[in-house]
Amino acid sequence: MGIRAIKSISWESAKESLNSKFAYLVFFFIMILIYVAILTGIMAVNDEKKVLSDFFIAVTQISLLVFGVFSSALGVSQDIETKRIYLILSRPVKIYEYVFGRIIGVWLSAFFVLFFINLACFLVFVFKGYFFDLNYFYLTSNLYFKILCISSISMFFACITTSSFTAIGISVMVWFISHFITDIKFAFDKMKGSVHFMKYIIYLFPDFSASPSLYSNFKILIYSFVVVLFSSYFFKKTEI
Amino acid sequence: MTSNSSIAVKFDNVFKSYIIKGFLKNKTTRALNGVSFKVHKKEIVGLFGLNGAGKTTIIKLICGLLTLDSGAVEVFENPINLKSVEYKKLIGYVPELPYFYPFSTAKDTLNFYYSLSSGGFKNNEKSEEVLNLVGLYDRKDDKIKNFSKGMMQRLAIACSLVHDPELLVYDEPTSGLDPISIREIRNIMLGLKEKGKTVILSSHSVSEAEKICDRVIILHKGEIKKIINKEDWADCELEKIFIDTVAYGD
Ligand SMILES: Nc1ncnc2c1ncn2[C@@H]1O[C@H](COP(=O)(O)OP(=O)(O)OP(=O)(O)O)[C@@H](O)[C@H]1O
Ligand SMILES: [Mg+2]
């Protein structure tokens, strides 16, 4: 069955995205971390710990968003542009194995990135003499689910358009819209008449606006899985 | 999966067009126009033709990388469609412009492709053996981004051999190589034939074909114009046959 092929491809794909982009990203992140930590120390802000942890989470979010969206869009579209995909598909590999291998590789590498970023935050907290509470981990692990989802969406658009540029652009838009799903649904409920049907379009988006819970994360996970399934279905249809 | 029949590859009245997506209207170009031929096991067969004749299209169809419009392609009696992938264990493919992930080493790359064919296993000995065969053994731990074009081509050939396939499908394996490399690669192909493998290659070099092919298929605008056996060309005649066929054959 396909598990072995998926494993080989995902491992290779994780190695590739870590090799080329990971080091710079983590390095950059740590520089920002140190810079802000020094800055808050000098400014002596109230509740420094909260300011720091809010800021770290925001930067973690941006870093992972960029990493996830770029790795999955570039992975597929570069394989097509360089025709490396022919070498891979001339082996006994099914399209769905390729697509799942690619996306799982991105998920794995995003996990590594998150791990190192969290480690860096932890060290800054320890260095500053603050207690590092587990809530921080909880927040970032919820973030990880969103990254799983948005990288799948990025993969989906890379598969159907074979253009990394389009895939990245659309994914970033989906990311922002998905954070306002509750508000948008509310707005549509108020509306009447012909625009009402547009309400249903919003159900196509993942819901990042709900407060994180086991249930909402599970929903995001299922959503991502379905998106990857659709990606491989459409990828089969595109002539590469 | 390999059968007792002596046929390795069979094309039966194959039509293939490409769709070129336009802004308002899609255009189609016909690449293959009713192509039929057979390749026997343990043969070296050359595909000849001008640019755009359809050589690469035939090769991609054998590797299951394209869908055909009509007709049938069989490889070792397995009918080819996008669903069947098992037969690809028997194929070693070198594309027109091989590309490998530049930050990986030669050996890791071969291990990766080996694992795709073998269902997830690695084989360091086999990787080193094929690197030795193509003369890249002492560069095995170098990153591919430091390789020259010829070395990439050699790596691609190593990659096509690492899983010990029965059929080798080479798209212009010697383009852009120096004379010594060309000769080495030619010897590799002859060695493969001695081991009982089947080789299909596309090429632009008549002299190369004369030296190694058992048969030559001349394609022109997606149609087979002539299939010539080795016995039918005496020294230097192949070039003449080829030019006569494609230039005045219409
Ligand atoms: N991806 C593609 N999209 C559209 N048309 C294509 C595509 N690939 C090939 N073609 C067309 O199909 C025909 C055959 O192309 P093919 O690549 O098989 O030629 P070839 O014999 O390999 O040529 P060359 O010697 O230049 O490599 C050409 O007319 C070409 O324009
Ligand atoms: Mg070609």
Side-chain angles (χ1 to χ4, degrees):
Chain A
M1 232 290 284
I3 298 300
R4 288 228 175 90
I6 293 179
K7 201 185 102 196
S8 298
I9 294 174
S10 58
W11 198 241
E12 185 70 15
S13 143
K15 247 181 15 193
E16 281 167 23
S17 40
L18 290 182
N19 225 337
S20 44
K21 298 140 204 156
F22 166 75
Y24 299 111
L25 192 67
V26 172
F27 179 75
F28 190 66
F29 181 84
I30 291 171
M31 294 318 281
I32 291 182
L33 226 61
I34 293 170
Y35 179 73
V36 172
I38 293 171
L39 214 61
T40 53
I42 295 169
M43 296 195 306
V45 286
N46 289 332
D47 203 356
E48 189 189 8
K49 186 184 169 192
K50 181 156 176 14
V51 172
L52 277 182
S53 76
D54 283 354
F55 182 76
F56 288 175
I57 285 185
V59 180
T60 309
Q61 176 154 338
I62 295 289
S63 311
L64 277 177
L65 173 67
V66 171
F67 182 83
V69 167
F70 273 73
S71 307
S72 63
L74 289 176
V76 171
S77 58
Q78 279 179 352
D79 273 357
I80 296 171
E81 271 159 33
T82 61
K83 316 236 157 131
R84 186 163 73 130
I85 187 135
Y86 288 140
L87 266 180
I88 294 175
L89 294 181
S90 73
R91 306 274 155 165
V93 172
K94 296 203 172 92
I95 302 250
Y96 85 88
E97 293 168 341
Y98 169 77
V99 173
F100 271 89
R102 268 273 168 214
I103 193 71
I104 290 171
V106 173
W107 293 349
L108 278 177
S109 50
F111 185 80
F112 271 108
V113 175
L114 180 62
F115 177 81
F116 277 103
I117 286 179
N118 268 353
L119 190 69
C121 293
F122 173 76
L123 291 177
V124 169
F125 274 112
V126 170
F127 191 71
K128 284 247 167 191
Y130 291 124
F131 175 65
F132 190 81
D133 57 24
L134 287 174
N135 194 38
Y136 189 84
F137 278 130
Y138 177 69
L139 288 175
T140 52
S141 59
N142 287 323
L143 171 66
Y144 183 66
F145 282 94
K146 291 197 223 167
I147 299 300
L148 291 187
C149 186
I150 202 72
S151 51
S152 316
I153 290 172
S154 176
M155 170 85 64
F156 176 76
F157 286 105
C159 283
I160 60 172
T161 64
T162 70
S163 146
S164 52
F165 201 71
T166 320
I168 291 167
I170 296 178
S171 315
V172 170
M173 280 193 272
V174 170
W175 173 265
F176 284 112
I177 293 174
S178 300
H179 277 92
F180 296 102
I181 290 291
T182 321
D183 301 325
I184 296 172
K185 274 185 191 155
F186 183 74
F188 274 122
D189 280 342
K190 294 271 164 208
M191 278 185 229
K192 295 207 170 61
S194 59
V195 287
H196 199 70
F197 78 95
M198 281 178 61
K199 182 179 161 188
Y200 298 103
I201 294 175
I202 215 72
Y203 284 99
L204 290 175
F205 287 79
D207 187 357
F208 293 161
S209 62
S211 62
S213 65
L214 216 55
Y215 174 64
S216 73
N217 285 342
F218 182 70
K219 263 198 331 200
I220 291 178
L221 206 60
I222 296 292
Y223 181 92
S224 314
F225 184 74
V226 173
V227 169
V228 181
L229 276 184
F230 272 109
S231 311
S232 51
Y233 176 76
F234 284 110
F235 200 41
K236 229 185 274 177
K237 304 266 161 206
T238 35
E239 185 126 278
I240 35 173
Chain B
M1 216 181 310
T2 45
S3 62
N4 296 323
S5 143
S6 68
I7 307 276
V9 175
K10 188 170 140 195
F11 269 60
D12 190 10
N13 204 20
V14 173
F15 286 82
K16 167 71 193 171
S17 338
Y18 290 99
I19 297 167
I20 302 168
K21 289 211 174 83
F23 181 59
L24 292 172
K25 227 169 48 182
N26 290 345
K27 235 176 65 182
T28 56
T29 40
R30 188 40 75 74
L32 294 183
N33 214 345
V35 166
S36 308
F37 66 92
K38 282 177 190 157
V39 175
H40 299 278
K41 285 183 186 163
K42 304 181 191 177
E43 243 190 337
I44 301 186
V45 170
L47 294 172
F48 258 73
L50 305 178
N51 295 129
K55 304 179 293 291
T56 300
T57 307
I58 288 184
I59 283 175
K60 283 184 185 163
L61 282 170
I62 296 173
C63 299
L65 299 170
L66 297 173
T67 47
L68 34 86
D69 302 343
S70 69
V73 179
E74 282 180 17
V75 175
F76 297 118
E77 297 196 318
N78 302 285
I80 305 308
N81 50 47
L82 280 185
K83 283 200 188 73
S84 59
V85 297
E86 278 304 303
Y87 83 94
K88 292 183 183 179
K89 281 182 185 155
L90 304 170
I91 296 184
Y93 168 54
V94 171
E96 234 166 346
L97 300 165
Y99 174 89
F100 298 99
Y101 183 63
F103 296 97
S104 195
T105 67
K107 198 169 135 190
D108 286 348
T109 303
L110 290 181
N111 273 330
F112 170 59
Y113 284 103
Y114 181 87
S115 75
L116 290 184
S117 287
S118 68
F121 300 100
K122 266 188 172 180
N123 190 338
N124 278 318
E125 289 91 65
K126 191 72 200 173
S127 303
E128 288 181 3
E129 183 193 317
V130 288
L131 280 172
N132 200 13
L133 182 73
V134 299
L136 282 179
Y137 185 78
D138 44 345
R139 305 295 296 263
K140 67 178 166 37
D141 295 318
D142 282 8
K143 294 231 162 77
I144 291 171
K145 68 179 162 96
N146 303 325
F147 279 16
S148 73
K149 178 178 159 59
M151 292 161 74
M152 284 286 255
Q153 198 73 30
R154 284 158 186 263
L155 183 62
I157 288 174
C159 186
S160 74
L161 296 174
V162 70
H163 52 297
D164 212 7
E166 289 302 313
L167 170 68
L168 296 135
V169 199
Y170 289 171
D171 203 347
E172 301 185 26
T174 54
S175 75
L177 297 189
D178 63 60
I180 299 202
S181 307
I182 291 180
R183 194 186 174 132
E184 279 174 17
I185 286 174
R186 200 194 301 142
N187 288 338
I188 290 175
M189 288 193 273
L190 288 171
L192 288 167
K193 188 190 158 187
E194 256 162 44
K195 281 191 209 153
K197 315 277 184 197
T198 313
V199 182
I200 299 177
L201 70 138
S202 82
S203 174
H204 286 125
S205 155
V206 179
S207 63
E208 177 179 302
E210 274 177 344
K211 286 188 184 108
I212 62 169
C213 291
D214 298 312
R215 273 195 308 151
V216 164
I217 296 174
I218 297 182
L219 280 163
H220 190 53
K221 296 187 178 158
E223 284 171 28
I224 292 187
K225 291 292 180 192
K226 229 177 213 151
I227 301 183
I228 319 168
N229 288 321
K230 194 173 189 161
E231 300 81 51
D232 301 337
W233 73 73
D235 262 349
C236 282
E237 232 198 309
L238 184 60
E239 186 170 16
K240 191 170 174 301
I241 300 177
F242 176 61
I243 290 176
D244 286 351
T245 313
V246 296
Y248 314 110
D250 294 293

